[in-house]
Amino acid sequence: MAQTLEKTETPQIAPATQRAADKLNADKLPSDKIRVWTYDDYAQLPENGAPELHTHIHYELIEGELIVSPAPNFYHQKIVIELAAQLHRHAKENGLGIVVVAPVDVVLSATDTPQPDLVFISNERRGIITPANVQGAPDLVVEIISPTSDRRDRQTKWELYARSGVPFYWIVDPRLELLEEYSLRGDVYHLVCEWKAGETFAPQLFPGLHIALSDVFAPI
């Protein structure tokens, strides 16, 4: 059954984030690799990644550092779509707000522009939506962790989303088939509940919504 716990410390997981700015077309990137990147720098990056590498590149700007990652795997994307479909349907039927999936820039400061896997913005916060990006804290961000993003999602982004005032943060672990639901109290996230495959997820943010995690984590 689901467990309700308090998070007492940040897991220490070996970092494996791929930082590959030096592989991109040099004439499209600032030459100083040690510099603190801003959103203006970030906005000049090529939209299609690195064609010369025959791959799609995923950009994020975290604490002034350009984070470059390969496209997520198929199972990751399947989980995103399953969650997004159910949240979108519930939000639309109840007139709650908007659900979008990555890639979408969430500009939290001049040096912080993450691209969460999934974002929910309530009608009350709709003013943060612009034609180009999201300017401010959404009501919910969801990250599907991978071996290259585990530490970043559980530590760096954890701290970023908390200090930016994102009320709810969900971390989904495909390997363990686990969904961790956190809510913000003050400036610290606390674990609301830990949901496992086979259980029915009833998120605090969406009363009346029930998501069968057997569908979310169904094998390919």
Side-chain angles (χ1 to χ4, degrees):
M1 62 183 295
Q3 299 176 358
T4 302
L5 302 169
E6 291 287 320
K7 183 177 180 65
T8 57
E9 60 180 2
T10 303
Q12 298 298 310
I13 300 170
T17 302
Q18 178 181 358
R19 295 171 173 85
D22 57 332
K23 296 181 182 178
L24 297 176
N25 196 334
D27 65 351
K28 295 182 180 179
L29 293 174
S31 59
D32 183 358
K33 298 176 184 178
I34 303 175
R35 67 176 295 170
V36 174
W37 286 64
T38 68
Y39 181 74
D40 289 340
D41 300 323
Y42 171 88
Q44 296 177 38
L45 292 168
E47 292 184 4
N48 295 322
E52 70 278 14
L53 300 180
H54 305 289
T55 184
H56 173 78
I57 295 295
H58 175 77
Y59 304 115
E60 295 184 283
L61 185 62
I62 307 294
E63 297 179 347
E65 180 181 7
L66 181 66
I67 308 296
V68 186
S69 307
N73 65 37
F74 190 92
Y75 187 49
H76 175 286
Q77 293 302 88
K78 175 184 173 298
I79 291 173
V80 171
I81 291 300
E82 184 64 39
L83 277 175
Q86 299 207 39
L87 291 182
H88 172 73
R89 181 169 55 250
H90 182 79
K92 187 174 183 179
E93 289 176 353
N94 293 278
L96 301 177
I98 299 175
V99 175
V100 294
V101 298
V104 59
D105 289 340
V106 178
V107 183
L108 298 176
S109 78
T111 55
D112 292 293
T113 305
Q115 289 195 4
D117 289 312
L118 187 152
V119 171
F120 167 72
I121 301 168
S122 67
N123 292 328
E124 290 75 17
R125 293 183 182 229
R126 202 180 188 100
I128 68 175
I129 301 172
T130 77
N133 50 41
V134 176
Q135 292 273 347
D139 296 76
L140 166 70
V141 295
V142 181
E143 297 286 5
I144 317 298
I145 65 174
S146 66
T148 61
S149 74
D150 201 326
R151 181 187 178 100
R152 185 167 69 249
D153 292 339
R154 292 187 179 277
Q155 182 170 322
T156 309
K157 285 188 175 181
W158 170 286
E159 295 169 355
L160 171 61
Y161 294 148
R163 69 173 178 265
S164 300
V166 177
F168 288 90
Y169 183 26
W170 299 352
I171 297 177
V172 181
D173 188 329
R175 185 178 64 84
L176 298 179
E177 298 187 336
L178 189 70
L179 188 154
E180 301 166 18
E181 176 190 15
Y182 296 95
S183 67
L184 192 64
R185 301 182 203 165
D187 58 357
V188 177
Y189 281 121
H190 294 262
L191 184 63
V192 176
C193 213
E194 186 180 83
W195 305 85
K196 301 176 182 178
E199 297 180 334
T200 299
F201 176 34
Q204 186 180 85
L205 179 58
F206 302 105
L209 175 62
H210 298 90
I211 300 174
L213 292 183
S214 58
D215 294 336
V216 173
F217 293 117
I220 299 170

